[in-house]
Amino acid sequence: MAKLIVISAEGRQEVDLVARNSLGRHPNNTIQILDRIVSKEHCLILQEGSEFILKDLGSLNGTYVNAERVQGQKTLRDGDEITLGGTRLIFLDQTSVSGMLRRVTIAPGMMESHIRTKIAAQLEQTFMPEKLITDPDVLRRDYEKLRAVYELQRAIGLELDLDKLLTKILDRAFEMLPADRGVVLLLDDKGELKPRAVKTRRGKPDENIVLSTSIINEVLREKAAVLSSDASVDSRFHGAHSIIMQGIRSSMAVPILNKGDLLGIMLLDSQIAANAFTDKDLQLFTSIASQTGVFLHNSALAKKIESEALTREKFQRLLSPVLAEQVVNGKLEVKKGGQKMQATVLFADIRGFTSMSESRDAQDVVDMLNEYFELMVEIIFKHEGTLDKFIGDEIMVLYGAPLAHPDAALRAVRTAMEMQLALEEFNRTTIAEGNDPIRIGIGINFGEVVAGYMGSSRTMEYTAIGDTVNTASRLCSIARAGEVIVSEPTYLKVRDHFDAEILPPAKLKGKKDPLKIYRITAVRRQWGDEMTKPGS
């Protein structure tokens, strides 16, 4: 299957290609590229037979393949790098490899194999100190181990793509050993062996490769390397018809290990020569497999680090650093789709923002907003609120989602009071600089919400919906500058910690009956902090 690796400021993602793929900035494209330099409809990638053709659609800034601008159209090759504006795309064509993998079969033998000799795989590459070596054969074996490691590292470099990594390892194994065919089998999440890379010396794309369970089971059971000098007559594989059927004269199978854990199996065979592989070859092949285990571990670790970095970056935008780290470490699960839960919703909105924007330079307004948001978000995260979104100059915050807090309402109201107090100090500097002060109104409501990942398949965000959210927004709209207005369900949860003034019932849009509301006036000192009321 062919696919694109899209690398942009948003991170890295893999996209499987279909017969017709449109790329551009507009959301109606098959692959949307959120890059202002990219045209709305920039280019096409079309499948024609077994090939994929890239066609530029007259884009203003051009489409580049391997740093060369495409004039009209270009046939893509595996590994081609496509550049659209500031976005890189890597084209991977795994059609031929996938087709070969589908023709790899693990067939059972007629009876259990009995292997009398085998080489136990070493968990780590070990080398004797120079002063203890007296046998030249030991020195030669150590040299072969080092050679295998050196040759592999030189060929592979920093390759982390698993399919390319395994292909390069087989290529290097074929250079070192007289093999006709090679297969790499890896254990999947269910503990089943699956072919991940195949190579044939004659490159027959339609060749059907049947692997013997007689050999594979022995390697799995004993974690040992197996060498068959002449499989067609070897008594150890008597009855293994899958070997005889293909005329294999020599074969080797070695376990891929990392710190004692079995990751998979590598197999090489020769269909031409009897005794094609020697004990020395098996030692070398074992060293290759040992190094492969290290490469696989490093590849998995690099992908995990990359995934954690992207996850951390994403969640640090809406969760406090403490909660974001819990999500990355798997201690806190943020589920996709909606989930009903009890939460407290806070809305904060700047009063007179429109008139303020009209009287100030646009860049000054942006700078002011960024400074204001920075201050507010610091307070929100201090009380472990979830930053839902910025809506212009308005902030929406959740408490109790995704992490349930029994004191969610208390955290929300305390945040609101700290926000108002922090603005007093913020405004002193603002006024001293000759600018108008920022005043905000805050509305808070407690109740049931539906929270989770929502949106399209392209863009999803964590948010909450429901009447509780709508009511909190309405309360914010009636709160005057400097006020914190809460609903009755919220007040009942925090009344022991705050002084409040009951206001006339409010007739809110969408509500049949007037709603009881309260204005929070002060924080009681017995709560154990120094906060009082805003402006005191």
Side-chain angles (χ1 to χ4, degrees):
M1 175 179 292
K3 61 182 178 181
L4 283 179
I5 307 296
V6 183
I7 305 170
S8 66
E10 302 298 318
R12 179 183 185 275
Q13 63 171 328
E14 295 187 7
V15 180
D16 292 331
L17 294 177
V18 293
R20 186 184 189 278
N21 310 270
S22 61
L23 291 78
R25 200 173 69 250
H26 197 278
N28 287 342
N29 285 287
T30 310
I31 303 172
Q32 185 183 16
I33 307 295
L34 296 175
D35 187 325
R36 62 184 180 85
I37 303 178
V38 173
S39 301
K40 290 183 179 179
E41 296 177 348
H42 199 99
C43 63
L44 294 173
I45 296 179
L46 305 174
Q47 184 174 12
E48 296 183 2
S50 60
E51 295 183 328
F52 281 84
I53 310 297
L54 185 146
K55 293 185 178 181
D56 184 79
L57 297 177
S59 60
L60 179 62
N61 293 300
T63 302
Y64 293 81
V65 175
N66 300 327
E68 294 185 4
R69 185 161 185 165
V70 175
Q71 303 296 336
Q73 67 180 45
K74 181 177 178 60
T75 301
L76 294 175
R77 301 301 181 207
D78 183 47
D80 278 350
E81 180 173 317
I82 306 166
T83 305
L84 308 181
T87 303
R88 294 171 55 226
L89 304 97
I90 309 299
F91 174 74
L92 300 178
D93 186 4
Q94 300 174 312
T95 305
S96 58
V97 175
S98 298
M100 184 166 283
L101 294 182
R102 285 194 292 270
R103 285 184 284 276
V104 175
T105 306
I106 302 175
M110 297 296 291
M111 59 182 292
E112 188 75 13
S113 297
H114 300 284
I115 298 176
R116 295 190 298 269
T117 59
K118 52 184 172 284
I119 299 176
Q122 296 174 323
L123 301 185
E124 305 290 344
Q125 292 281 14
T126 57
F127 300 93
M128 292 179 62
E130 177 270 335
K131 62 182 180 181
L132 298 180
I133 299 177
T134 57
D135 187 348
D137 290 337
V138 173
L139 191 60
R140 290 189 179 92
R141 284 197 297 269
D142 284 352
Y143 169 79
E144 285 300 300
K145 293 178 185 178
L146 289 171
R147 184 171 75 92
V149 171
Y150 171 76
E151 293 291 342
L152 281 174
Q153 288 182 337
R154 190 179 68 169
I156 291 168
L158 299 177
E159 180 64 65
L160 295 177
D161 182 275
L162 185 58
D163 294 316
K164 287 187 176 181
L165 174 68
L166 296 176
T167 299
K168 288 183 177 181
I169 289 171
L170 281 181
D171 288 343
R172 188 57 56 175
F174 268 55
E175 292 178 12
M176 296 181 182
L177 298 163
D180 291 320
R181 304 183 307 179
V183 179
V184 178
L185 305 168
L186 296 184
L187 291 170
D188 62 13
D189 295 337
K190 298 179 181 179
E192 298 178 358
L193 282 174
K194 299 295 182 182
R196 292 300 302 265
V198 177
K199 180 177 177 64
T200 61
R201 190 171 295 278
R202 290 177 296 279
K204 295 181 180 179
D206 58 344
E207 185 170 0
N208 185 34
I209 300 176
V210 181
L211 306 177
S212 171
T213 54
S214 303
I215 298 174
I216 292 174
N217 287 339
E218 182 66 24
V219 177
L220 289 175
R221 184 169 54 249
E222 301 292 337
K223 293 184 180 179
V226 174
L227 167 64
S228 174
S229 299
D230 189 348
S232 62
V233 297
D234 195 324
S235 62
R236 291 177 295 165
F237 301 110
H238 177 69
H241 287 195
S242 56
I243 298 176
I244 301 171
M245 178 175 63
Q246 296 187 86
I248 298 173
R249 305 301 298 274
S250 299
S251 63
M252 293 190 294
V254 294
I256 302 173
L257 300 168
N258 182 256
K259 297 181 179 179
D261 295 328
L262 184 68
L263 306 180
I265 297 175
M266 294 179 65
L267 302 100
L268 294 179
D269 68 41
S270 171
Q271 294 180 282
I272 300 175
N275 302 314
F277 303 123
T278 65
D279 289 346
K280 178 182 174 182
D281 292 331
L282 187 60
Q283 289 280 0
L284 180 58
F285 195 30
T286 301
S287 296
I288 293 174
S290 177
Q291 191 65 20
T292 300
V294 175
F295 288 141
L296 292 179
H297 174 74
N298 291 343
S299 175
L301 183 61
K303 289 183 178 180
K304 179 182 178 183
I305 292 173
E306 180 184 21
S307 175
E308 287 183 355
L310 291 174
T311 302
R312 184 179 289 106
E313 179 185 7
K314 179 169 63 175
F315 282 103
Q316 280 181 343
R317 297 175 184 175
L318 58 95
L319 298 175
S320 69
V322 174
L323 292 182
E325 200 60 37
Q326 289 187 36
V327 172
V328 172
N329 295 333
K331 296 178 181 179
L332 174 62
E333 182 181 6
V334 180
K335 296 182 178 179
K336 294 183 179 180
Q339 182 181 18
K340 288 185 178 181
M341 57 180 62
Q342 296 291 312
T344 305
V345 186
L346 179 153
F347 279 89
D349 186 56
I350 297 178
R351 296 296 173 248
F353 179 73
T354 302
S355 59
M356 183 189 302
S357 301
E358 292 174 350
S359 62
R360 296 179 63 173
D361 179 75
Q363 187 59 52
D364 289 342
V365 173
V366 171
D367 293 341
M368 177 271 294
L369 273 179
N370 285 335
E371 191 175 355
Y372 159 72
F373 285 145
E374 191 76 29
L375 179 63
M376 297 297 102
V377 170
E378 184 177 349
I379 297 170
I380 291 166
F381 284 172
K382 173 184 174 183
H383 297 288
E384 297 190 355
T386 299
L387 180 60
D388 188 295
K389 62 175 68 73
F390 297 116
I391 312 168
D393 61 304
E394 188 176 54
I395 303 174
M396 176 180 170
V397 187
L398 304 176
Y399 292 85
L403 181 65
H405 282 128
D407 58 348
L410 191 63
R411 291 171 184 266
V413 178
R414 189 176 186 186
T415 298
M417 298 299 281
E418 285 195 28
M419 290 168 73
Q420 296 286 17
L421 281 170
L423 272 182
E424 296 293 334
E425 182 63 32
F426 180 84
N427 284 329
R428 290 191 186 99
T429 303
T430 301
I431 294 171
E433 293 173 349
N435 296 315
D436 294 331
I438 295 177
R439 305 292 184 191
I440 63 173
I442 299 176
I444 302 174
N445 187 32
F446 168 80
E448 185 177 81
V449 301
V450 176
Y453 272 117
M454 301 180 194
S456 70
S457 58
R458 295 180 182 273
T459 304
M460 301 188 75
E461 63 177 12
Y462 189 85
T463 189
I465 60 174
D467 181 66
T468 297
V469 177
N470 297 336
T471 299
S473 179
R474 303 280 188 268
L475 292 177
C476 179
S477 65
I478 65 174
R480 293 177 298 182
E483 286 188 334
V484 177
I485 304 297
V486 303
S487 63
E488 185 174 42
T490 308
Y491 170 71
L492 294 177
K493 287 189 169 292
V494 303
R495 58 185 175 184
D496 293 336
H497 300 280
F498 299 92
D499 290 330
E501 174 187 352
I502 188 169
L503 300 177
K507 185 70 173 80
L508 302 180
K509 181 180 178 181
K511 292 289 185 181
K512 179 180 179 181
D513 300 319
L515 195 71
K516 287 185 179 181
I517 61 174
Y518 298 78
R519 179 194 298 121
I520 303 296
T521 57
V523 177
R524 295 178 186 169
R525 287 187 177 276
Q526 62 263 33
W527 193 16
D529 55 44
E530 297 303 319
M531 284 202 309
T532 55
K533 60 183 179 181
S536 61

